[in-house]
Amino acid sequence: MFTRFLAALSVTLAPLSAATTLDPMVALFHKWQMKDAAAVVDKAAKQGHRHVQFCIALQARLDPDHRVQAIGLYRENRDPAAGANAFYPSDPAITRELKSYYSACFARAVEKKLAISVLLHLNAHGEIQEWRNYFDFDPLQSLSGSTYEESVLLPIVESLEATVPADWPVELSLQGEMGTTVFKHPDSWRTLIERLRSRGKLTQARFGLSFNYQGVAGRANPAETDPAALKKLWDACDFIGVSMYQRVSMPPRTEDFDLAVGLFAGEFHGLGCPLPSAKPLHFVEVGLGGGGLSESDWKPRIPATTAADAARAPYLGSPSATEADPWSDPSLKSLRAGYHRSLCHYLADTRQRHPVQRAFLWSFGSWDPQGLGEPRFADAEIIRDISEHNRRVLRPES
């Protein structure tokens, strides 16, 4: 069956040694996005993509030390008298609801003949707010009655197993930007990868872990980590992902991304747990948001005051065009075009060390030049450049 599938879907994935396409992310951050995500898959397919990444974000309640206490879904309140929306810890009902959304998305990707990648996030919910990179939890330890494996991973994997053909290309990053938990509990994360791989129902599934472009270990104390266990964990991964928001030059250059990958890999080396040089990297997030940091006071501003400020902080941007549209400024618009052009040039030539095998735009808010979520942020020139790049990668003879 896999041979027939590849014949029918010959443009989906380029050979692993070839250049890399630049593909979109479909956001499943809240129930409301989850319900509408299949329509975004349609938009991605219409733009000619043959691969899509679903970023699934659930909510986590934290204690004052940023230890995760519960994982669940923020949704309409089951008791309207108690308020419009509420956080519900994972339980059988929440799991069924999530699986219905996931299955609809994965089925649409199969219908449109798109290879599937999945990136998993947790976002803080409640009075205690913090970035997920600092969350402390063991993914095998019960949190309010269920583990990370049970509340986050298994509903996704079971939805994939029930929805996509067994030989469909599937890649799953078990977490993203959650360095503290990985560096403090490497054996648990390796156990999760081994358990998922041993299920055997998805014969082409590949598994990895993803990190921020800097601060990869979060708040894990390097003196208390186990470099040997971490090296075993990297070996168990099929790929390592990175949220790539390193600063770029003015104007952006292809070499900026070489430097960014070198800095990312170098941090692991400095922590005593180097990444294997041939281990594929995935840009699970990449993009330019149009917010900026000024060298005068280092305060974030959205939109950026100057193009140089925006180049300094690609991770800053706006979720809504009605709140802030950085791209109405001609200098920022020009920077944006140059950024994506340089990114495509970088992806057109695979490196021998730390090769970037996949790259997914952060297709959200002002980081979304294809306008999949917010059409007002779309840029026709960038859409054309990405389409032409992908066409050359997938059909190099043309």
Side-chain angles (χ1 to χ4, degrees), residues 250-252 288 307 326-341 379 381-382:
M250 281 289 297
L288 182 74
W327 314 122
S328 60
D329 181 316
S331 66
L332 292 179
K333 180 181 174 69
S334 177
L335 171 71
R336 190 191 198 195
Y339 177 95
H340 290 88
R341 192 160 49 245
D379 186 300
E381 177 184 355
I382 296 173

Side-chain angles (χ1 to χ4, degrees), residues 27-106:
L28 287 82
F29 300 163
H30 302 285
K31 172 182 176 177
W32 304 275
Q33 288 175 313
M34 293 178 181
K35 291 172 63 177
D36 299 332
V40 182
V41 175
D42 291 343
K43 293 181 182 180
K46 189 174 182 179
Q47 291 193 10
H49 289 282
R50 301 264 51 94
H51 202 144
V52 67
Q53 175 176 264
F54 297 97
C55 181
I56 297 171
L58 297 184
Q59 288 71 55
R61 222 163 36 201
L62 308 176
D63 72 7
D65 294 320
H66 305 132
R67 291 188 294 259
V68 175
Q69 301 299 294
I71 296 172
L73 177 66
Y74 187 66
R75 66 180 307 282
E76 296 99 334
N77 203 317
R78 291 169 180 163
D79 178 9
N85 303 304
F87 170 80
Y88 286 89
S90 179
D91 63 16
I94 291 296
T95 296
R96 286 193 299 272
E97 183 174 1
L98 289 172
K99 290 173 75 171
S100 71
Y101 303 139
Y102 301 158
S103 295
C105 292
F106 301 151

Side-chain angles (χ1 to χ4, degrees), residues 351-371:
R351 277 60 174 169
Q352 294 300 309
R353 290 178 57 82
H354 308 298
V356 175
Q357 183 186 87
R358 308 277 181 250
F360 297 101
L361 291 165
W362 186 242
S363 307
F364 175 73
S366 59
W367 295 266
D368 178 15
Q370 296 174 307

Side-chain angles (χ1 to χ4, degrees), residues 3-4 21 60 76 109 135 146 152 162 168 193 240 264-265 271 302 310 313 317-318 320 328 367:
T3 302
R4 294 198 304 274
T21 57
E76 296 99 334
F135 292 3
S146 63
V152 180
W168 203 262
I193 290 174
I240 297 293
F264 176 70
L271 291 167
I302 304 170
S318 170
S320 168
S328 60
W367 295 266

Side-chain angles (χ1 to χ4, degrees), residues 163-243:
T163 306
V164 309
D167 46 15
W168 203 262
V170 171
E171 295 167 340
L172 174 63
S173 185
L174 277 65
Q175 51 67 255
E177 298 175 5
M178 293 195 282
T180 299
T181 172
V182 172
F183 274 76
K184 292 185 73 169
H185 307 284
D187 289 335
S188 293
W189 286 98
R190 182 160 56 90
T191 295
L192 287 180
I193 290 174
E194 292 170 349
R195 285 180 180 174
L196 293 177
R197 188 173 284 128
S198 68
R199 293 173 70 90
K201 294 183 179 180
L202 301 170
T203 60
Q204 301 301 313
R206 302 171 71 249
F207 304 99
L209 299 169
S210 296
F211 301 88
N212 194 48
Y213 74 98
Q214 63 182 18
V216 298
R219 288 188 176 144
N221 184 347
E224 297 176 353
T225 60
D226 184 345
L230 289 164
K231 291 177 184 177
K232 289 181 180 178
L233 177 56
W234 312 153
D235 287 340
C237 291
D238 295 306
F239 64 88
I240 297 293
V242 52
S243 297

